[in-house]
Amino acid sequence: MASAAARTAATKLTIGMIPADGIGREVLPAAQRAIEALGSSIPKPTFVPLLAGFELFTRTGQALPEDTVNSLKHDCNAAMFGAVSSPSRKVVGYSSPIVALRKKLDLYANVRPVKSVDGTSGRKVDMVIVRENTECLYIKEETQTTTPAGKEARATRLITERASRRIGQMAFEIALNRPNRHLTIVHKSNVLSVTDGLFRETVRAVPTLPGVDGRYDAVTVDEQLVDSMVYRMFREPEVFDVAVAPNMYGDIISDAAAALVGSLGLVPSVNAGDSFVMGEPVHGSAPDIVGKGIANPIAAIRSAAMLLSHLGHHDAAKRIDDAVDSVLREGQVLTPDLGGKSTTEEVTNAVVKRISGG
């Protein structure tokens, strides 16, 4: 697998825009404005509005229309996803569109950097969480039966050698291209010796695969049980560089890690496969602040930067990240989740001004 750093810059930027639910509709326009502010330094982007989400399901009975999937496959070479309001209760006929998109587009890696900004208060954090995106408990195979003792629910957990190998390869590539070149494998194989055991063993074996030929010799590897991983992240986050985990553990530890930098509203991600990439802010749909104009757009803007970097436009991505860092470092234009009083639009305006050189 080629590393992101080695990719040839895409000559076309046709980006499917899927705001979906809640504040997704408020932060995705900020990401679009950030990309547009780059001007002629990137190919002229085309943005394709697309539908998905629980709110769409309640109106039409479809959470992910085939038209959306077909457009992403045939018209677009990248996408941005806003947020989804998947209910915590079972809703007949509904399945999360973001989980479905990851599978339909084979976006097997969710890459989530968690990084503090130099010059701001707080502990220094600079880690990347690489989450397997297609299996584990998220295959959603659940059953419920009634026994003499009452109801009994079961869930199937799927871990395959193929999925573990390719997420391991991506994690090694990311670690190889970072200064510390260190990879932590997160698992719970002391209890789940078969499923997590397979994940652990397969990732550990990546450097011995045919054709690797010592490529990862400079990457040091250790392991962490998922519960102690969370503990150590809060006690000594500076010891972590790149962490790779099965789907559910990756979801949990990346959300927890967001607390280290102040807010979920700051943490971006991309869902990446071998031929497609989709940016996605880590935060949810935040129904409590929908329509108030105070959603933090920074995670969406940084996700756009990650998307561009994955497509080979590294300088353009750095311009966006530098602009965001400048706004955060100054600390004058911040949304309420960061202790400020600014609106989504005001933060977006401040970032776009700096991207444009203002």
Side-chain angles (χ1 to χ4, degrees), residues 23-43:
I23 63 169
R25 294 189 295 271
E26 301 174 35
V27 299
L28 230 55
Q32 179 170 330
R33 286 186 59 196
I35 294 171
E36 290 172 332
L38 294 164
S40 60
S41 65
I42 58 172

Side-chain angles (χ1 to χ4, degrees), residues 109-167:
N110 185 254
V111 182
R112 298 182 172 186
V114 181
K115 189 177 187 301
S116 55
V117 175
D118 292 339
T120 59
S121 60
R123 302 180 69 170
K124 181 174 176 55
V125 182
D126 186 3
M127 63 184 298
V128 178
I129 297 167
V130 185
R131 167 190 172 193
E132 202 289 317
N133 227 7
T134 63
E135 46 183 46
C136 191
L137 288 169
Y138 288 51
I139 62 171
K140 297 191 69 173
E141 290 185 7
E142 297 180 285
T143 61
Q144 182 173 288
T145 58
T146 301
T147 72
K151 292 180 180 177
E152 181 178 283
R154 294 175 182 264
T156 298
R157 185 174 194 244
L158 176 68
I159 300 290
T160 66
E161 187 176 27
R162 175 177 179 267
S164 301
R165 181 187 300 117
R166 61 182 186 172
I167 199 66

Side-chain angles (χ1 to χ4, degrees), residues 3-296:
S3 70
R7 290 179 184 271
T8 302
T11 57
K12 180 186 84 164
L13 287 177
T14 304
I15 303 172
M17 301 295 281
I18 314 167
D21 300 323
I23 63 169
R25 294 189 295 271
E26 301 174 35
V27 299
L28 230 55
Q32 179 170 330
R33 286 186 59 196
I35 294 171
E36 290 172 332
L38 294 164
S40 60
S41 65
I42 58 172
K44 183 175 175 58
T46 300
F47 299 95
V48 182
L50 298 170
L51 298 174
F54 182 69
E55 294 165 28
L56 179 70
F57 174 81
T58 61
R59 297 194 307 269
T60 68
Q62 285 186 304
L64 182 61
E66 278 303 311
D67 286 350
T68 293
V69 177
N70 289 336
S71 182
L72 292 172
K73 286 183 175 180
H74 303 299
D75 304 328
C76 305
N77 64 330
M80 288 290 300
F81 190 94
V84 64
S85 298
S86 291
S88 56
R89 67 190 187 283
K90 180 177 176 58
V91 176
V92 176
Y94 175 77
S95 184
S96 169
I98 185 64
V99 173
L101 278 172
R102 291 166 181 164
K103 293 177 181 177
K104 289 178 181 291
L105 300 174
D106 199 24
L107 304 177
Y108 59 85
N110 185 254
V111 182
R112 298 182 172 186
V114 181
K115 189 177 187 301
S116 55
V117 175
D118 292 339
T120 59
S121 60
R123 302 180 69 170
K124 181 174 176 55
V125 182
D126 186 3
M127 63 184 298
V128 178
I129 297 167
V130 185
R131 167 190 172 193
E132 202 289 317
N133 227 7
T134 63
E135 46 183 46
C136 191
L137 288 169
Y138 288 51
I139 62 171
K140 297 191 69 173
E141 290 185 7
E142 297 180 285
T143 61
Q144 182 173 288
T145 58
T146 301
T147 72
K151 292 180 180 177
E152 181 178 283
R154 294 175 182 264
T156 298
R157 185 174 194 244
L158 176 68
I159 300 290
T160 66
E161 187 176 27
R162 175 177 179 267
S164 301
R165 181 187 300 117
R166 61 182 186 172
I167 199 66
Q169 288 178 283
M170 183 170 285
F172 269 98
E173 283 293 333
I174 291 171
L176 185 66
N177 286 284
R178 285 172 58 85
N180 291 336
R181 294 183 174 181
H182 184 69
L183 177 64
T184 301
I185 304 170
V186 182
H187 59 82
K188 190 68 175 174
S189 63
N190 60 327
V191 176
L192 301 170
S193 58
V194 176
T195 51
D196 274 10
L198 177 61
F199 180 84
R200 169 189 173 275
E201 293 161 7
T202 304
V203 174
R204 270 207 167 273
V206 164
T208 68
L209 291 172
V212 172
D213 299 327
R215 176 173 176 81
Y216 304 126
D217 286 354
V219 178
T220 57
V221 180
D222 70 359
E223 302 177 21
Q224 199 74 54
L225 297 177
V226 64
D227 43 355
S228 60
M229 175 74 185
V230 174
Y231 176 79
R232 288 196 69 196
M233 276 198 315
F234 283 98
R235 288 295 298 268
E236 43 184 348
E238 61 278 355
V239 305
F240 294 107
D241 183 22
V242 178
V244 61
N247 204 339
M248 186 173 72
Y249 303 158
D251 195 4
I252 293 169
I253 63 175
S254 56
D255 278 12
L260 298 170
V261 293
S263 171
L264 276 171
L266 294 176
V267 182
S269 79
V270 290
N271 299 279
D274 293 333
S275 59
F276 199 86
V277 60
M278 179 169 63
E280 179 196 3
V282 169
H283 62 68
S285 59
D288 55 320
I289 61 170
V290 170
K292 296 182 179 180
I294 58 171
N296 192 336

